[in-house]
Amino acid sequence: MFRLSETDDRIGSDRPLGAAPTDIANPELRKEIQRAIVWVSVVGLAMLAVYIAQPLLVIFGAMVFAAMLDGGARLIGRVLKIPRGLRIGLVLLLAIGFLVWLSIFAGTQITQEAAELPALVTSQVNLLLNWLQDQGFAIRHEDVQQVAGTLMSGVGTITKAIGGFLGGITTLVLVLIIGIYVALEPRLYERGVAWMLPSERRSDFFIVASRMAATMRRLMAGRVLGMVVEGIFTWLMLSLYDVPMAALLGILTGLLAFIPNIGAVVSGVLMVLVGFSGGVDTGVYTVFVYFAVQTIDGYVIIPLIAKKTVDLAPALVLGAQLIMGILFGVVGLFLADPLMAMIKVVLERRSERAEAEEQLAKGAEPDGA
């Protein structure tokens, strides 16, 4: 009853029989569209990652905390053959007991010293600037204050976004809760993530996840060991010479030891500034203590731990710390090193797969020939 026109017949002849109206017959055009879809997807995922970067960073912080709990539970498991849940609970009790002891040990004296530290550092910096001006250096106090204000304005993005002090406490609670849940049943969450991947990718995911977990445990063990050794050694050495705020400086040095590169510089500056407030001899002695601490850390602790962990280039870690510090403040500084370690594990696994595929292809050439 109905008859197609010549034009309609000519157009329909180029389309395969049974093809949908939206199918693209031209293979080159179809390939270009596929490339465009890939690039649009990459850009979309990048924008989504930027939008949810702060929650992702909180989740990654929880993974770091879970690795610390897992490492402590494994260490206790070598001595006590008890269920994993009890070992996790024992690790938490030990951590809480240490914090309680530290608060009791600190008492009101260190609390007062911590309140006096900013004013002391400011006065020492002003004295240093005045001395430099007397030596002919054109340095103004306003410029230093402006630089300090700029640095402080770039720190604390997460705290501002979540809502100040209350938001910081909420974030810390979330990190603790998520970390405890993951540490109690890590295999459960590994299987959950693997279930969302294609079946052919799951075995490789389990290999990468196992390596990342082992690397994270060893890295955190090294960080904790370095914090304890540097903190106690600094406190003892400064106390021997009656340096002001010796216990407070030991605590700060131990905490800042978690941040490689930058933490050592910050703790050293604080130590020297406080030391020179007690006199030139005390200041010179604090310089000696600082170099002694860094020598022990660089030639004893780091080589001991680096044999069992990833070896990251210092410049690479420092660059990651600068970027993460600008984007996410102090939290970014703490998590930059573990994040780089995880990225390196993934890249090493990809390199292994590429080499294996290349060797398999070379081995298959003679048979095909």
Side-chain angles (χ1 to χ4, degrees):
M1 181 179 297
F2 298 98
R3 186 176 184 275
L4 296 174
S5 63
E6 294 182 359
T7 305
D8 295 334
D9 194 26
R10 184 174 62 252
I11 295 175
S13 62
D14 295 334
R15 187 179 302 279
L17 184 62
T22 56
D23 289 344
I24 301 175
N26 190 333
E28 295 183 359
L29 181 60
R30 185 166 59 248
K31 188 175 181 180
E32 292 298 326
I33 292 179
Q34 291 175 351
R35 289 180 178 177
I37 292 175
V38 171
W39 280 109
V40 170
S41 301
V42 170
V43 173
L45 290 175
M47 294 178 64
L48 179 63
V50 171
Y51 183 75
I52 63 174
Q54 295 166 358
L56 289 177
L57 197 67
V58 172
I59 294 175
F60 182 71
M63 297 301 103
V64 174
F65 178 65
M68 298 175 69
L69 293 178
D70 185 39
R74 289 171 179 264
L75 186 62
I76 293 176
R78 296 181 180 181
V79 181
L80 300 177
K81 303 301 180 181
I82 56 178
R84 179 180 178 83
L86 294 179
R87 284 181 279 145
I88 295 292
L90 185 57
V91 173
L92 291 173
L93 287 177
L94 292 174
I96 294 173
F98 172 75
L99 293 177
V100 172
W101 171 84
L102 184 62
S103 62
I104 295 175
F105 170 77
T108 58
Q109 180 180 357
I110 293 185
T111 303
Q112 293 175 356
E113 291 178 352
E116 297 171 359
L117 181 61
L120 177 62
V121 172
T122 302
S123 64
Q124 290 299 108
V125 170
N126 290 331
L127 291 176
L128 177 61
L129 293 178
N130 293 332
W131 180 82
L132 291 175
Q133 289 176 350
D134 294 339
Q135 303 302 317
F137 292 93
I139 300 177
R140 297 188 305 171
H141 295 264
E142 295 79 7
D143 296 336
V144 177
Q145 293 176 355
Q146 183 178 1
V147 172
T150 303
L151 292 177
M152 292 302 296
S153 64
V155 175
T157 304
I158 288 183
T159 304
K160 294 177 183 178
I162 297 179
F165 178 76
L166 181 60
I169 296 297
T170 305
T171 302
L172 179 61
V173 172
L174 287 175
V175 169
L176 295 178
I177 293 176
I178 297 174
I180 292 173
Y181 275 124
V182 174
L184 287 173
E185 294 182 302
R187 301 300 179 189
L188 175 64
Y189 298 97
E190 284 186 8
R191 291 194 299 267
V193 176
W195 179 79
M196 296 185 292
L197 299 175
S199 57
E200 65 273 8
R201 299 287 301 275
R202 293 176 184 175
S203 59
D204 186 67
F205 166 76
F206 283 118
I207 295 175
V208 174
S210 177
R211 292 184 181 180
M212 291 175 70
T215 301
M216 185 69 76
R217 287 195 303 268
R218 293 165 181 169
L219 187 64
M220 292 301 101
R223 290 289 179 268
V224 173
L225 178 62
M227 292 170 65
V228 172
V229 172
E230 291 191 25
I232 293 178
F233 185 78
T234 300
W235 170 54
L236 292 176
M237 292 295 291
L238 295 181
S239 299
L240 290 176
Y241 205 77
D242 294 330
V243 177
M245 304 182 179
L248 177 61
L249 291 174
I251 294 174
L252 292 176
T253 301
L255 293 176
L256 291 172
F258 190 87
I259 309 175
N261 302 326
I262 297 178
V265 175
V266 174
S267 63
V269 169
L270 293 176
M271 190 186 308
V272 173
L273 289 176
V274 174
F276 275 99
S277 67
V280 177
D281 295 340
T282 306
V284 173
Y285 179 76
T286 55
V287 173
F288 165 75
V289 172
Y290 170 73
F291 282 106
V293 170
Q294 296 307 313
T295 300
I296 294 176
D297 183 69
Y299 290 94
V300 178
I301 299 176
I302 291 180
L304 180 64
I305 301 301
K307 294 179 181 178
K308 298 182 179 181
T309 58
V310 291
D311 186 15
L312 295 173
L316 182 64
V317 175
L318 183 59
Q321 288 174 337
L322 292 176
I323 296 174
M324 295 287 288
I326 293 174
L327 293 177
F328 305 107
V330 178
V331 178
L333 288 176
F334 274 87
L335 298 181
D337 191 31
L339 181 60
M340 292 303 300
M342 297 301 98
I343 293 175
K344 185 175 182 181
V345 171
V346 175
L347 295 178
E348 287 178 346
R349 177 57 185 170
R350 290 190 60 182
S351 178
E352 289 179 3
R353 289 182 56 192
E355 291 179 0
E357 292 175 358
E358 183 179 356
Q359 292 178 359
L360 183 61
K362 290 181 179 179
E365 287 179 359
D367 297 335

